[in-house]
Amino acid sequence: MRMASQCYSCIMDRSLFEADLAELAEVERRAAVEELLDYMASHKGGVPALVGTEREMIIKRRSGNFDPYRELKEESNRVAAGLLSLAGQFYEGMEDKIEALVRIAAAANSMEFGVKGHDFDNSAFGAVFSQTLRENLHGDLEEVKSRLQRFSNIFYLTDNCGEAVFDIFVMKKLADTGKQIVIGSKSAPILNDVTAKEMSLLADSLGHEEKAVDVTPTGEVVGTALEDLAPRAHSLLFDPSWLILAKGMGNYETISEYEDRLKGRLVYILRAKCQPVADRIGVPRGTLVAKSI
């Protein structure tokens, strides 16, 4: 997916949000914004997630804070852990267990900060979580379910902290049916995405067996970009025996650039939080998506 007109202002707005998180002084804040403007001017029509990656590097370098979202990530994980029982009740109450898992994974992708037009608050999520699980799910759910049943191997590309707590629940249930699962998470902090190290620690803290928490780093980039992909992740991505389950907009923005090479074994699960992503997928903005390629 390439930059739409709205992407430029959204990326700039998020730089200011992150400058506040990183507590940048005004002189460095202005310098960071100007550096980002120069980069965007020379990368017109690029992939939004990759332009966003450059924004992350600028903010981290200029602030010396290499994980500006750390406190929000920790809070998100606490909130999600407190809602796991609701997810469990929803799962047990659904006759179609695979659909229940897809819905839990999609609803969890609501946990995102700094996206223009998408208002999210950790403290309020609990009040709407049960309703979110029952929202309309756009895409092709029957084909998604069929692939989750048919494939024995799943490469599960994660997105945000908080959301990752629910992803562990989903992966554990899939592993209990005999699926082999490898989790692909970020190599280092970027945005509020969960890192491979954080994912392993989180899984351990939730008491899941080792077989369900094979975590591999994917790279230090928003989404999953081939030029920055770690070797094992690259091997799994292009192994025809593996279903690719890609969470979130960053993964959609990057993987859609080469999705033809994954045809027949790629599933996107996300909330379409911004208009350009919603338009590209062909769904109303703000809706939950489960779509196969």
Side-chain angles (χ1 to χ4, degrees), residues 133-204:
L133 288 168
R134 293 169 173 82
E135 285 185 28
N136 289 335
L137 195 60
H138 293 251
D140 49 354
L141 180 59
E142 292 307 312
E143 176 60 21
V144 170
K145 287 161 48 179
S146 174
R147 291 185 187 185
L148 283 169
Q149 291 167 334
R150 190 166 71 249
F151 277 84
S152 298
N153 305 315
I154 301 173
F155 188 26
Y156 197 113
L157 297 171
T158 59
D159 192 15
N160 307 315
C161 282
E163 173 183 2
V165 171
F166 298 106
D167 289 330
I168 290 169
F169 175 91
V170 170
M171 286 182 276
K172 174 62 167 60
K173 295 299 183 184
L174 291 171
D176 286 345
T177 69
K179 307 292 185 185
Q180 180 181 358
I181 298 172
V182 175
I183 306 167
S185 299
K186 298 298 180 284
S187 304
I190 192 158
L191 290 176
N192 59 318
D193 291 1
V194 64
T195 67
K197 180 179 179 180
E198 289 166 343
M199 195 68 177
S200 294
L201 292 172
L202 196 56
D204 289 346

Side-chain angles (χ1 to χ4, degrees), residues 49-50 52-53 55-56 186 190-191 193 220-225 250 254:
L50 301 185
T53 297
R55 175 198 59 220
E56 301 306 298
K186 298 298 180 284
I190 192 158
L191 290 176
D193 291 1
E220 188 181 359
V221 63
V222 179
T224 305
T254 48

Side-chain angles (χ1 to χ4, degrees), residues 3-236:
M3 296 275 282
S5 58
Q6 303 100 310
C7 294
Y8 296 94
S9 61
C10 182
I11 288 170
M12 289 303 304
D13 284 348
R14 193 159 191 170
S15 71
L16 298 176
F17 174 78
E18 293 176 0
D20 288 342
L21 286 181
E23 299 182 341
L24 272 179
E26 174 57 25
V27 62
E28 281 296 327
R29 181 186 174 100
R30 185 178 66 250
V33 168
E34 290 171 350
E35 184 178 349
L36 179 57
L37 279 169
D38 288 342
Y39 182 86
M40 287 200 295
S42 61
H43 290 78
K44 299 186 189 77
V47 175
L50 301 185
V51 177
T53 297
E54 182 62 22
R55 175 198 59 220
E56 301 306 298
M57 299 307 172
I58 291 169
I59 295 294
K60 289 196 285 188
R61 185 180 68 252
R62 289 189 172 275
S63 68
N65 182 343
F66 292 93
D67 193 3
Y69 285 85
R70 182 179 58 81
E71 292 183 5
L72 282 176
K73 292 195 299 182
E74 291 172 353
E75 181 182 68
S76 296
N77 287 338
R78 289 194 297 271
V79 168
L83 295 173
L84 267 183
S85 60
L86 286 179
Q89 291 167 20
F90 177 77
Y91 174 80
E92 294 301 332
M94 284 277 289
E95 183 176 348
D96 189 329
K97 300 303 185 188
I98 297 296
E99 179 177 343
L101 294 177
V102 172
R103 287 186 168 279
I104 291 168
N109 191 239
S110 303
M111 304 188 80
E112 178 67 275
F113 306 94
V115 176
K116 190 174 184 178
H118 174 68
D119 295 323
F120 176 77
D121 184 344
N122 275 327
S123 63
F125 189 52
V128 299
F129 181 60
S130 292
Q131 178 182 339
T132 303
L133 288 168
R134 293 169 173 82
E135 285 185 28
N136 289 335
L137 195 60
H138 293 251
D140 49 354
L141 180 59
E142 292 307 312
E143 176 60 21
V144 170
K145 287 161 48 179
S146 174
R147 291 185 187 185
L148 283 169
Q149 291 167 334
R150 190 166 71 249
F151 277 84
S152 298
N153 305 315
I154 301 173
F155 188 26
Y156 197 113
L157 297 171
T158 59
D159 192 15
N160 307 315
C161 282
E163 173 183 2
V165 171
F166 298 106
D167 289 330
I168 290 169
F169 175 91
V170 170
M171 286 182 276
K172 174 62 167 60
K173 295 299 183 184
L174 291 171
D176 286 345
T177 69
K179 307 292 185 185
Q180 180 181 358
I181 298 172
V182 175
I183 306 167
S185 299
K186 298 298 180 284
S187 304
I190 192 158
L191 290 176
N192 59 318
D193 291 1
V194 64
T195 67
K197 180 179 179 180
E198 289 166 343
M199 195 68 177
S200 294
L201 292 172
L202 196 56
D204 289 346
S205 73
L206 293 171
H208 292 299
E209 291 90 343
E210 186 65 27
K211 68 175 182 179
V213 291
D214 182 359
V215 186
T216 192
T218 55
E220 188 181 359
V221 63
V222 179
T224 305
L226 295 184
E227 57 268 31
D228 295 288
L229 202 54
R232 186 186 182 208
H234 189 282
S235 176
L236 290 169

